[in-house]
Amino acid sequence: MVKLRIGYPEDPDYGERLAEFEARIARGEKIEPGDWMPAEYRRQLIRMISQHAHSEWVGMLPEGAWIPRAPSIRRKLILLAKVQDEAGHGQYLYHAAETLGITREEMVEALLSGKAKYSNIFNYPTLTWADVGIIGWLVDGMAIKNQTMLAQCSYGPYSRAMVRICAEETFHHKQGKEAVLLYAKGSRKQRQMVQDALNRWWWPTLMMAGPHDTDSPHTPLLLRWGIKTKTNDQVRQEFLNEHVPELLEAGLRIPDPHLRYDEKTGNWIHGPIPWDEFWKVINGEGPMNRQRLLARRRAHEEGRWVREALEAYAQRQLAQAAD
Amino acid sequence: MWGTEWPRFEVIKQDTQHSPPQMVGSVHAADPEHALLVARHVFVRRPAAYALFVAPAEAFFHVSQEGLKDLAPRREGGPEEAYWVFAKRSHRRSMVYGDLVGRFLAQGPEDAIAQALLQAQGVAFWAVPERLVVGTEPTEEVVESWFAPAKDKRYRLQSYYGLITAKGVEDA
């Protein structure tokens, strides 16, 4: 097992070790589980990676609800594969967090008790099939922007999980874009459906990148230690610059009357983001917060007998081996 | 706490018959057989797998770049056993932990890694006793039944969708 080497500011050699640690990051080296790291680096990573893992797991719910109602076998297969991927991504991330000395059980308990956060976006309902397309194209589009940035992370296991996830997420993004464009060029009813989905998901998607840099207290430290390599506003801007022209080309209306293109910077500039709603949802008052946690708790309870049966089987095997 | 957390198994995946087994992550499972099944679901959703191996995470000895300078191989004339040694060769971005350097007869994991260092440079090493490694059988039947189904699921690959544009959809 990997022995963690954690440094605290009160340690006599902390300053010297911290300087070496930061020099390694500046050289582009990855920090591995057995390497010395500041306690705060470990804490921030556990917070971020476990939240990310929880988001993958809760993220299965809004789309999973549409598996039985997918409009064709092809779409059903694609959606099944996508939801299965999200479960796998949660596994990669929980593993990365475990390398920092936290157990899977502790993380799952924090999620089920409501103590841990997960991405706000999954606290919104999926009302029509068009929502599934919009989630793939826009929600996963924003997630990929963030994950591509995190693939450069200074912590080896998190970076590796992100590289693997990014390689797989690209299919999520493409299938969503394909579905949305088909509806955008489809019948009047299909066009209305996809426009309605865009209207509902646009602002929550922009909020996924997190608060503005001026309101993000963790960002300076995360950048300094190479956990993040771009700020929230930079990630959001990359998303806008890629997706706005394509949405407009598809004939869709973006529900932001202040959205404009800035010739000087080449950036699409969005209007005021409704942050009141963001904070309301993060504090548990979103449209689906309660249902999401209830569903996860129910799944955990319904799987209890499987865990216990396998545990009993393993114990019996051990006892038999001892005889 | 529920007290039902299964032990963790490191997962080693071999993409083709001639490529090196690589450490790809871990799964929780009741025993090695269960770990292999879970590993297939987690790490082989897409094509490119020839074999999977698992070993208890607690059996791995790990040394990172910082620890390499203090590595003290024990050679006390005791019994030897075979170890699999994996190396992460650089800080380049990657999705795998380490590639198999080889199999070494050694008196302990430190000794095995010291021997591996004569063959390969790296920024992190892992060693695990071979007796604890359990894998899928390299028979045609096993490879086919375990890994071939993923090959038909092309809709999981981004290349399946090609270049998607509003114009392209309109013309289709």
Side-chain angles (χ1 to χ4, degrees):
Chain A
M1 289 292 271
V2 178
K3 217 164 138 190
L4 292 177
R5 296 162 69 210
I6 312 294
Y8 298 89
E10 55 273 25
D11 294 346
D13 60 350
Y14 184 78
E16 194 187 324
R17 303 305 301 261
L18 182 64
E20 283 170 25
F21 171 83
E22 292 186 341
R24 287 192 61 192
I25 290 172
R27 288 196 296 270
E29 293 181 14
K30 298 281 183 220
I31 305 300
E32 295 296 336
D35 292 340
W36 184 93
M37 62 181 77
E40 182 60 12
Y41 180 79
R42 174 178 174 266
R43 193 184 74 82
Q44 290 287 355
L45 279 169
I46 289 177
R47 179 184 68 80
M48 275 180 68
I49 304 173
S50 62
Q51 274 182 22
H52 199 159
H54 298 329
S55 302
E56 298 283 354
W57 270 20
V58 177
M60 288 188 278
L61 297 169
E63 289 181 287
W66 278 91
I67 291 172
R69 295 177 282 169
S72 69
I73 288 290
R74 178 176 178 269
R75 286 286 163 199
K76 194 189 288 275
L77 287 170
I78 290 171
L79 189 54
L80 270 168
K82 182 176 187 297
V83 172
Q84 195 190 22
D85 271 354
E86 309 298 4
H89 297 171
Q91 300 278 0
Y92 304 158
L93 289 161
Y94 282 125
H95 163 68
E98 283 172 312
T99 63
L100 292 157
I102 186 168
T103 67
R104 180 81 57 109
E105 236 178 1
E106 286 170 315
M107 288 184 276
V108 174
E109 191 171 57
L111 170 67
L112 299 184
S113 68
K115 207 173 96 190
K117 302 280 185 222
Y118 55 85
S119 178
N120 255 9
I121 196 84
F122 303 118
N123 287 319
Y124 290 87
T126 39
L127 302 180
T128 70
W129 172 254
D131 290 31
V132 173
I134 290 284
I135 289 176
W137 190 13
L138 302 189
V139 173
D140 288 330
M142 179 65 92
I144 289 171
K145 293 287 172 212
N146 193 43
Q147 288 162 353
T148 310
M149 176 269 288
L150 289 169
Q152 313 280 352
C153 170
S154 61
Y155 187 57
Y158 194 21
S159 161
R160 289 190 275 275
M162 282 296 109
V163 175
R164 191 175 285 277
I165 288 172
C166 285
E168 298 184 353
E169 284 277 349
T170 314
F171 128 64
H172 300 183
H173 187 236
K174 281 199 163 184
Q175 65 80 33
K177 186 175 176 184
E178 183 193 63
V180 169
L181 292 182
L182 274 172
Y183 270 32
K185 300 292 169 190
S187 67
R188 190 163 159 261
K189 197 168 178 188
Q190 285 172 326
R191 291 199 306 274
Q192 278 174 347
M193 200 189 281
V194 81
Q195 182 62 55
D196 168 63
L198 175 61
N199 293 347
R200 284 181 287 107
W201 289 93
W202 178 252
W203 291 112
T205 302
L206 287 200
M207 292 176 206
M208 278 176 75
H212 286 306
D213 297 347
T214 46
D215 301 319
S216 177
H218 297 303
T219 297
L221 188 65
L222 297 177
L223 288 171
R224 178 176 152 195
W225 284 343
I227 295 175
K228 284 170 78 164
T229 54
K230 287 175 187 163
T231 68
N232 297 350
D233 285 333
Q234 285 172 327
V235 170
R236 193 164 18 241
Q237 192 62 61
E238 281 185 9
F239 168 84
L240 284 165
N241 290 353
E242 178 183 327
H243 290 81
V244 168
E246 292 182 319
L247 286 163
L248 296 176
E249 196 191 344
L252 292 164
R253 290 183 312 280
I254 295 172
D256 176 357
H258 302 283
L259 184 72
R260 65 183 174 84
Y261 182 70
D262 183 64
E263 295 278 355
K264 224 159 87 184
T265 59
N267 287 329
W268 284 91
I269 310 296
H270 61 76
I273 295 177
W275 292 114
D276 287 353
E277 178 183 318
F278 175 81
W279 294 113
K280 223 171 83 179
V281 179
I282 219 168
N283 288 318
E285 294 171 54
M288 297 296 283
N289 293 55
R290 265 176 55 82
Q291 288 91 327
R292 297 298 184 233
L293 268 190
L294 280 175
R296 289 279 10 131
R297 286 182 191 137
R298 194 173 63 236
H300 193 78
E301 277 309 310
E302 287 175 357
R304 181 183 291 279
W305 71 271
V306 180
R307 296 192 297 278
E308 288 176 353
L310 275 164
E311 180 69 14
Y313 172 78
Q315 292 300 334
R316 200 177 64 192
Q317 296 288 98
L318 273 178
Q320 282 173 353
D323 290 344
Chain B
M1 294 288 216
W2 298 281
T4 53
E5 180 164 289
W6 299 318
R8 204 158 60 80
F9 288 81
E10 290 291 342
V11 178
I12 298 147
K13 179 170 170 262
Q14 186 178 358
D15 288 348
T16 69
Q17 194 171 358
H18 303 292
S19 57
Q22 297 174 308
M23 293 174 70
V24 290
S26 71
V27 294
H28 285 267
D31 59 27
E33 192 187 357
H34 181 210
L36 280 172
L37 288 168
V38 179
R40 183 173 67 153
H41 286 299
V42 175
F43 294 103
V44 195
R45 293 192 303 278
R46 286 170 175 75
Y50 172 76
L52 273 178
F53 304 90
V54 294
E58 60 184 18
F60 278 77
F61 175 81
H62 168 70
V63 60
S64 65
Q65 191 171 14
E66 283 186 356
L68 274 174
K69 57 182 183 298
D70 303 321
L71 187 72
R74 281 177 295 155
R75 292 201 188 95
E76 295 152 355
E80 287 184 330
E81 71 170 308
Y83 283 86
W84 285 22
V85 178
F86 298 85
K88 178 176 177 258
R89 292 170 197 268
S90 76
H91 287 292
R92 279 180 52 199
R93 226 170 60 153
S94 165
M95 64 170 80
V96 300
Y97 281 68
D99 294 352
L100 184 72
V101 179
R103 178 178 176 273
F104 300 90
L105 280 177
Q107 289 177 19
E110 297 96 333
D111 181 19
I113 289 173
Q115 291 182 47
L117 274 166
L118 299 174
Q119 291 183 17
Q121 293 302 304
V123 294
F125 285 84
W126 292 261
V128 64
E130 186 179 61
R131 67 188 150 81
L132 297 173
V133 179
V134 176
T136 52
E137 286 174 41
T139 62
E140 201 179 315
E141 192 187 328
V142 169
V143 173
E144 177 74 13
S145 68
W146 271 65
F147 308 122
K151 287 183 183 156
D152 295 332
K153 298 176 181 169
R154 290 182 50 249
Y155 48 83
R156 284 182 184 277
L157 304 173
Q158 59 116 347
S159 54
Y160 172 75
Y161 300 88
L163 181 68
I164 306 163
T165 62
K167 183 84 177 60
V169 169
E170 213 166 337
D171 294 344

